[in-house]
Every structure is written in C-alpha cells, then in structure tokens.
C-alpha cells in the first residue's frame, strides 16, 4: 500500500503552469483545432445550414466522397528506420514552378457564400504559404481581384466550358492577362450532379431569408453580419442568378463538349494546361495524347457521379500509363496531410484540397485558411519524418500498401471502350 501524505507547496510549484488566457476568441478557437475535422466542427457551428451543406455535401447518397475518404484510411505506411530526418524539405516543382508544399487550393464556386472573405482569404493564404490558388469560373472574386490578393504567388484559373464559347474564352484571356500561369479545364460536369442537400434546403444563390433561415441564423449571427455588411455576394465572372445551383449549372454548361474542344482550348492558352476530372486509365491516356501538361484524377469531391471510381485507387495504373510525360495530380477526400503523403508515394505529382480549405475558411476567414494549411503542412512533415523520408522525391510505392477493401474485383487496368 502506498503511504499517503499532504502535498507541500514546493511539490506543487513545478506542476503549476497557468497559461496566459487568449483573449481573441477567433485565435483561441483556431488554436484549439488540431485537425481538419476540428475545423469542420467549428465551421458547422458558425455557418448557416444551407451554405455549410452546400460545401460539405456531395451528390446523391454521397457514397463517392465517403469511399474516397475511406480509401485514405485503408492504407498502411511502411517506415524506414534510423535515418537522419532532422531537416526535411517539403517543396517540389509543379507545372514549371516551385511549390513549398505538395498541395494547392482546388477551385470552388460561390466561395464568399461560405465566409465573406472567400477567395481573397484563400488566395492570400496560399500565396503566403507558397502554394498555388485555383480560382473557379463560378468564383465570387474576379481574376483581377485574385491577382491583387496574391500578387507574388501562383494563381491558376479553372474553366467550365459553357455554351457561349466566346464568353468562356474571353474569361480565359482575362486570366492570362492577369498573370494566371495554369488553366484547369474541368471535364466532369456535362450536367450537374444531384446535390440532394441543396434541394432539401432550397439552396439559392445568394441564400434567401426565409423564416427557417432566419431562425437558424440566430446562433450564426456573425456570418449574417459579415454577409450583410460586406460587398454583396455575386458571381464575379457570370451574370446574376437567382435560381438553384443545379439550375444554373444545367443552364450554362455545355453537354456537347468533347476532346476536340480541349485541343481548341489548348491552342489558345499560353500557359500550362491541366484537365480536371479524369476518372479512368483510358481517358487519362487519351487526354495525355493531346499533349496537355497535367491531369487531375478527381471525381469532383463526390459532387458529380455518385459511386464514381476512387481517384486514389486509379492512381497507380494511371501513373504507370501516363506519368512519364504528364503530371498526374489527385484530389477528392483529402482531410489529412498523411493522405497527401500517401498519394505522392503512389506516384501523384501533386494534390489539391477543396473542403479541407473551406472548413478553415468557414471556421475563421483568412486565419482559418492559414490554420488549415498549417495543420496539413505539419501532418505532412511529421508523416515524412516518421517514414524516414527527407524529401518529396524519396517517397515511393514501397512506403504505402493499400489494404484491400473496395478494390475492384475485375482488373480494369486497360480495356478499350467501344
Ligand atoms: C463547395 C465546393 C465547390 C466546388 N466548386 C467547383 C468548381 O466550381 N469547379 C470545379 O472544377 N470543382 C469544384 N469543386 C470541386 C473541387 O475543385 C475539388 O475537386 C474537390 O473539392 C476535392 O475534394 P475535397 O473537397 O474532398 O478535397 C467544388 C468543391 C466544393 C466542395
């Protein structure tokens, strides 16, 4: 039996470490967030339901997104021991430029609806972190505004080809003039996916003040104050729209776009060209044959075809087929820096984050985006060190095993389609 005694003040003194209280509520909140999931929880508390669901939601039963995240969880890392990892380098060359970290910010529409600082926060934070920022055609800041927010960093522009080709290309020309160095052409939206959360919420752009939204807004007054006291929310590159997102997409987007149009765009764009939304080995080969600079394996964060292939599973086959001549990037489901490291180990050249950045934005504007980037960066560094890897180029498939679950039963590595 242990002998008990009363503690003496000199025993207690070394244990007492009262922290100076953090008086800034936002900083306090963000410092307490250790993961992207933590940021997500803060974001949910602070953002009106329609805007939060628009961001977080995916298509139909949201199976694609859940599977993509599961695929990252279903990996095993294989560390190499006894290596000096006292200093490591997370930087790499991507599409002709240097990036400080192996991920960039994916294009997202209506970003100022999530939090009023929107693309301004994203572009400025990306610039300061030394990573690229991609602006969406459906963005709520203009190409010129983004160039001003991120004057020394890399800006990429994302194009949805819409029915009015001349207007699409006029926009692309503006992006080139504003110094955007890369064009991402998204090819997985011939029509809009069924975002059921948006339909259930009656989501319109901008959000409507119905009785339900007003009641729900009571605990999210900060968002509404920002929304009502800053520049009105509008598409920077499109006309005003007062319908639902799906109606807008279906009215604008051109389901007749084909490979021929890609070549046509390529002839007009002076910078690097990347095709976003590739989802099979066959299409990756066809796109690569057009001589594009990169492809992004992506199912649009699960927002288009539900039960689409998991990009992370396609990765090894696609890299084997086209990776020597074309950069293979990946997105969908990344919530942790370890997901990024696993993707690089299996051959991805680069990754993009959508929701991980938007959760940060909704949790705390610019500071929240900084926090999201910081969390992912520290997870990447720690994972690399624990794997015994000092530079991105040292990562290879021997560092990762995909544990078998949700792996296709038939070998689909290459079957030409009729
Ligand atoms: C709210 C939201 C809006 C998006 N808007 C666009 C868009 O306008 N164009 C596009 O190509 N992709 C868009 N995406 C898809 C992202 O570029 C990216 O592919 C996806 O978010 C990656 O998955 P993750 O969110 O799991 O990281 C959007 C994604 C979200 C979450």
């Amino acid at each position: 039996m242990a002998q008990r005694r009363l503690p003496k003040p000199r025993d207690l003194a070394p244990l007492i470490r009262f922290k100076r209280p953090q008086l800034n509520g936002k900083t306090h909140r963000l410092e307490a967030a250790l993961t992207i999931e933590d940021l997500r929880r803060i974001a949910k508390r602070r953002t009106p339901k329609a805007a939060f669901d628009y961001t977080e939601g995916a298509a139909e039963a949201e199976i694609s997104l859940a599977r993509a995240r599961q695929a990252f969880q279903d990996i095993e890392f294989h560390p190499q021991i006894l290596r000096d990892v006292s200093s490591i380098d997370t930087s790499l060359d991507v599409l002709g430029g240097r990036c400080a970290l192996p991920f960039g910010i994916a294009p997202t529409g209506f970003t100022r609806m999530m939090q009023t600082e929107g693309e301004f926060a994203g572009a400025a934070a990306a610039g300061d972190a030394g990573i690229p920022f991609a602006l969406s055609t459906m963005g709520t800041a203009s190409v010129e505004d983004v160039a001003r927010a991120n004057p020394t960093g890399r800006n990429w522009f994302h194009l949805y080809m819409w029915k009015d080709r001349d207007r699409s290309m006029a926009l692309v020309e503006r992006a080139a003039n504003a110094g955007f160095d890369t064009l991402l052409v998204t090819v997985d939206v011939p029509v809009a996916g069924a975002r059921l959360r948006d339909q259930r919420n009656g989501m319109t752009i901008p959000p409507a003040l119905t009785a339900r939204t007003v009641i729900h807004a009571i605990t999210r007054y900060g968002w509404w104050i920002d929304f009502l006291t800053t520049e009105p929310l509008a598409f920077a590159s499109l006309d005003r729209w007062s319908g639902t997102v799906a109606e807008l997409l279906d009215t604008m987007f051109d389901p007749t776009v084909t490979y021929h149009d890609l070549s046509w765009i390529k002839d007009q764009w002076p910078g690097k060209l990347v095709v976003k939304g590739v989802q099979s080995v066959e299409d990756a080969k066809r796109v690569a044959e057009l001589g594009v600079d990169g492809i992004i394996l992506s199912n649009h964060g699960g927002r288009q075809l539900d039960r689409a292939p998991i990009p992370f599973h396609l990765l090894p086959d696609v890299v084997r087929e086209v990776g020597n001549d074309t950069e293979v990037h990946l997105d969908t489901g990344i919530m942790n820096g370890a997901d990024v490291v696993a993707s690089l180990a299996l051959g991805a050249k680069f990754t993009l984050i959508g929701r991980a950045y938007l959760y940060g934005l909704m949790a705390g504007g610019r500071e929240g985006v900084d926090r999201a980037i910081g969390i992912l960066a520290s997870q990447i560094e720690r994972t690399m060190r624990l794997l015994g890897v000092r530079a991105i180029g040292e990562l290879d498939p021997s560092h990762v095993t995909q544990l078998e679950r949700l792996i296709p039963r038939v070998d689909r590595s290459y079957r030409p389609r009729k």
Side-chain angles (χ1 to χ4, degrees):
M1 272 271 278
Q3 291 284 318
R4 296 199 183 274
R5 65 182 178 90
L6 278 176
K8 300 191 177 71
R10 69 163 186 278
D11 297 333
L12 292 176
L15 302 178
I16 296 173
R17 275 181 220 131
F18 292 128
K19 273 210 207 131
R20 192 135 30 92
Q22 173 55 259
L23 298 178
N24 182 325
K26 191 204 278 187
T27 308
H28 177 69
R29 248 189 342 265
L30 294 173
E31 279 177 357
L34 303 180
T35 62
I36 299 295
E37 181 57 35
D38 290 344
L39 288 175
R40 177 192 164 275
R41 273 191 288 270
I42 301 171
K44 189 169 184 183
R45 284 202 304 272
R46 308 184 63 78
T47 314
K49 181 170 168 51
F52 182 82
D53 276 355
Y54 168 71
T55 309
E56 161 146 297
E60 314 271 358
E62 308 191 352
I63 294 169
S64 290
L65 179 62
R67 285 184 182 167
R69 288 190 178 155
Q70 186 66 53
F72 283 124
Q73 283 164 33
D74 284 357
I75 59 153
E76 191 174 72
F77 278 121
H78 303 290
Q80 287 168 314
I81 56 167
L82 296 173
R83 302 182 132 218
D84 177 359
V85 285
S86 50
S87 80
I88 62 160
D89 182 4
T90 57
S91 69
L92 73 172
D93 283 322
V94 176
L95 297 168
R98 200 75 190 154
C99 292
L101 294 163
F103 65 89
I105 292 188
T108 59
F110 320 127
T111 313
R112 288 193 56 236
M113 182 180 68
M114 292 141 207
Q115 204 274 351
T116 192
E117 294 171 47
E119 288 91 351
F120 300 97
D128 284 353
I131 62 173
F133 174 80
L135 173 67
S136 166
T137 309
M138 318 288 286
T140 42
S142 68
V143 285
E144 293 80 12
D145 284 342
V146 165
R148 269 189 292 275
N150 182 19
T152 51
R154 297 180 74 185
N155 292 309
W156 296 355
F157 186 66
H158 135 69
L159 176 72
Y160 274 136
M161 182 53 88
W162 74 82
K163 285 175 188 151
D164 186 340
R165 302 278 156 108
D166 290 343
R167 282 189 60 202
S168 315
M169 293 321 283
L171 200 52
V172 167
E173 196 180 329
R174 267 173 63 192
N177 291 338
F180 284 52
D181 65 62
T182 297
L183 184 68
L184 313 180
V185 183
T186 296
V187 292
D188 55 13
V189 187
V191 296
R195 322 261 169 88
L196 302 185
R197 293 200 207 192
D198 296 349
Q199 289 177 36
R200 291 189 178 116
N201 289 332
M203 224 285 279
T204 56
I205 295 168
L209 277 170
T210 61
R212 202 159 50 138
T213 44
V214 169
I215 291 167
H216 185 256
I218 291 168
T219 50
R220 279 128 179 113
Y221 57 88
W223 186 95
W224 285 97
I225 291 170
D226 284 344
F227 177 65
L228 296 171
T229 59
T230 55
E231 184 78 8
L233 180 65
F235 296 113
S237 309
L238 311 176
D239 297 331
R240 287 202 158 270
W241 184 261
S242 56
T244 66
V245 185
E247 284 163 1
L248 172 68
L249 294 180
D250 284 342
T251 311
M252 279 193 54
F253 297 117
D254 187 352
T256 69
V257 172
T258 64
Y259 281 93
H260 175 74
D261 298 278
L262 268 185
S263 305
W264 181 73
I265 295 167
K266 185 170 176 293
D267 290 342
Q268 300 180 62
W269 172 254
K272 301 285 184 189
L273 187 78
V274 175
V275 177
K276 175 172 183 282
V278 175
Q279 299 180 67
S280 74
V281 179
E282 300 92 278
D283 281 344
K285 288 176 75 163
R286 264 192 91 177
V287 170
E289 278 160 17
L290 293 177
V292 301
D293 301 287
I295 59 171
I296 304 177
L297 294 178
S298 164
N299 63 35
H300 212 110
R303 296 162 77 83
Q304 284 298 108
L305 175 68
D306 200 15
R307 308 180 214 210
I310 300 166
F312 185 65
H313 283 177
L314 284 175
L315 185 61
D317 287 343
V318 170
V319 169
R320 194 181 55 238
E321 293 291 337
V322 306
N324 283 341
D325 305 316
T326 313
E327 289 193 10
V328 179
H329 299 190
L330 175 139
D331 78 20
T332 300
I334 293 173
M335 289 285 281
N336 190 302
D339 304 342
V340 173
V341 173
S343 304
L344 300 178
L346 289 193
K349 177 78 189 175
F350 197 58
T351 59
L352 293 169
I353 53 159
R355 294 179 185 82
Y357 133 72
L358 296 172
Y359 289 139
L361 178 68
M362 292 186 286
R366 165 68 202 267
E367 272 183 63
V369 181
D370 288 338
R371 185 71 183 156
I373 294 173
I375 288 171
L376 292 172
S378 70
Q379 290 167 335
I380 289 170
E381 284 168 23
R382 191 165 54 250
T383 307
M384 284 174 65
R385 284 199 160 95
L386 290 171
L387 281 175
V389 165
R390 287 163 297 218
I392 299 288
E394 290 178 15
L395 283 165
D396 66 43
S398 71
H399 290 108
V400 176
T401 310
Q402 292 182 345
L403 301 175
E404 203 163 319
R405 174 157 44 161
L406 296 174
I407 302 276
R409 279 160 55 121
V410 266
D411 176 14
R412 295 206 65 248
S413 45
Y414 182 59
R415 275 190 295 150
R417 284 186 184 157
K418 295 276 171 330

